Amino acid sequence: MKYQQRLQVAVRERLRKLVTAPYASAGHEVHLAVTWISSQPALKGILEEAARAEPGVDRERFRTALTRSGRFVWPSRTEQGRATLIWELMQDIASKEASDPKVGLRAAIGYSMQGPHQNRWRKFAEDILQPLFDFLSERVGAESSILHTLERYRTRIEWFDREELYARFEADRANGEEVYNLDLQRFLFLEGDHITHAKPRSASGEADLVGDLDGRDPLVCDGKIFDGSGRGKHYLVKGLHQIVKYAHDYGQHTAYLVIYNISDKLLELPTDGTPAAWPPHTELAGVRVYFIHVRVAPPTTTASKAGKATRVTLTRDDLANPDTT
């Protein structure tokens, strides 16, 4: 959660620096913004996904309209298309800035022909560049909302409903994952307003949960049992690679792997993010997968009498090589 919140703040701060930049260094500030955005995997994923949303957007019309002061109309029909136009424009400015320091200012002058240079740059930044940062902040916030819902789901199970769900699991072990996934599906709808579809078909098989398929942003979420033996590390790694394929099928760069730990083992998961930050995640084949670890087995004794728990550690090497796990 904190990662998304910090990223949102950073996006807004980067916009502030652009809008308030001295007109003489406007191009350099665009270069710094492009460099920073390109270094953030989450933002790169959002922009790569946006570029596929409106493939026919008229780039030439957009560039021409920027030079006709007072008659500008966005040629895009979606927020993703508009964000793509702005991102490509900023990349173009950044690529020319070193040899042409005034490239940013000239873009602003072409758009607004009235007033001092500083006012022209500010108007250009607010009218043309700001929608990209608004889009990025909104998308990061939406991801944060999903994680908040999943965090609440984990807490609900571990604190309140562990025994009830486990009893249902024991009564139908052959369909044990379905017991938990249907419960998660219900929770996502009631608490997060995510309309999910159980086991929709895609080119890679059947994901347990894919939400909002009819909307602009499908939620790709898969649930896997971990029992420390037959469904151990190898089973989870296979599940990870499956969910990455599902994300590719639905054109997504973010997915969520919910791990139902029915064992008494402590499961340690790697992360490509800040150590100890929740939830851990990994970047694989252009997809960020968040691990939502839920302890679903009821405790058989008190913590003081249980003794030292066995640890099972998944490593980055395990995740990258499913056949050797």
Side-chain angles (χ1 to χ4, degrees):
M1 287 294 294
K2 290 182 180 179
Y3 169 81
Q4 278 78 18
Q5 292 167 354
R6 287 197 299 268
L7 188 56
Q8 277 186 301
V9 171
V11 167
R12 305 312 299 181
E13 176 60 17
R14 189 59 60 176
L15 172 63
R16 185 194 67 78
K17 290 179 179 179
L18 269 179
V19 172
T20 61
Y23 70 84
S25 60
H28 182 62
E29 199 62 48
V30 171
H31 167 76
L32 294 178
V34 168
T35 301
W36 179 78
I37 291 173
S38 298
S39 71
Q40 305 297 318
L43 301 185
K44 284 182 63 179
I46 291 170
L47 289 169
E48 288 168 5
E49 187 175 324
R52 296 197 293 267
E54 193 178 343
V57 64
D58 194 335
R59 292 163 171 80
E60 184 176 348
R61 180 182 167 196
F62 169 62
R63 297 299 182 93
T64 300
L66 286 176
T67 63
R68 297 175 178 174
S69 180
R71 290 178 289 177
F72 177 80
V73 177
W74 288 100
S76 53
R77 307 308 301 166
T78 64
E79 291 185 353
Q80 294 96 323
R82 182 173 64 179
T84 298
L85 291 174
I86 301 168
W87 176 235
E88 290 177 352
L89 172 65
M90 289 180 62
Q91 288 178 297
D92 186 46
I93 292 173
S95 69
K96 298 174 180 176
E97 178 268 334
S99 59
D100 185 3
K102 293 184 179 180
V103 62
L105 175 60
R106 277 205 304 277
I109 291 175
Y111 173 72
S112 176
M113 301 179 66
Q114 297 180 351
H117 285 351
Q118 190 63 45
N119 290 352
R120 295 187 196 184
W121 168 251
R122 185 182 185 94
K123 181 172 178 56
F124 176 78
E126 290 178 342
D127 291 358
I128 302 302
L129 304 185
Q130 181 170 334
L132 170 66
F133 294 83
D134 292 341
F135 173 77
L136 291 175
S137 182
E138 177 186 339
R139 299 311 305 138
V140 170
E143 185 175 284
S144 178
S145 175
I146 293 170
L147 287 174
H148 177 64
T149 302
L150 290 170
E151 184 179 28
R152 293 187 66 236
Y153 177 72
R154 180 193 65 165
T155 302
R156 194 209 90 191
I157 297 301
E158 294 185 350
W159 287 16
F160 303 106
D161 296 339
R162 198 187 295 198
E163 287 79 6
E164 177 189 347
L165 278 172
Y166 191 76
R168 286 160 54 190
F169 165 80
E170 286 280 37
D172 189 13
R173 272 184 170 264
N175 300 297
E177 277 184 356
E178 193 72 9
V179 170
Y180 286 108
N181 278 326
L182 287 175
D183 182 72
L184 173 58
Q185 184 180 24
R186 182 175 185 270
F187 187 88
L188 286 171
F189 173 70
L190 294 177
E191 301 294 328
D193 200 27
H194 302 294
I195 301 175
T196 55
H197 302 252
K199 295 195 178 299
R201 292 193 175 275
S202 72
S204 298
E206 296 180 337
D208 285 324
L209 298 169
V210 178
D212 299 330
L213 289 179
D214 298 326
R216 67 174 188 176
D217 189 22
L219 165 62
V220 179
C221 182
D222 210 353
K224 293 297 180 184
I225 291 287
F226 173 79
D227 61 11
S229 55
R231 294 185 176 186
K233 291 169 58 173
H234 181 66
Y235 188 68
L236 292 184
V237 174
K238 284 183 62 179
L240 169 68
H241 284 259
Q242 285 175 349
I243 203 171
V244 168
K245 291 179 181 177
Y246 298 147
H248 288 165
D249 291 343
Y250 292 106
Q252 297 299 295
H253 291 272
T254 305
Y256 306 86
L257 181 62
V258 181
I259 301 170
Y260 307 113
N261 189 349
I262 65 170
S263 75
D264 59 357
K265 296 177 174 62
L266 295 178
L267 182 59
E268 295 184 344
L269 299 161
T271 185
D272 293 331
T274 304
W278 189 91
H281 70 267
T282 190
E283 307 278 347
L284 188 64
V287 178
R288 170 173 292 199
V289 181
Y290 288 99
F291 300 114
I292 313 299
H293 177 222
V294 187
R295 297 170 297 173
V296 298
T300 56
T301 184
T302 61
S304 61
K305 296 180 180 179
K308 188 175 181 179
T310 302
R311 293 180 181 272
V312 177
T313 302
L314 270 177
T315 67
R316 288 182 178 83
D317 286 342
D318 293 332
L319 300 180
N321 302 288
D323 295 332
T324 61
T325 302

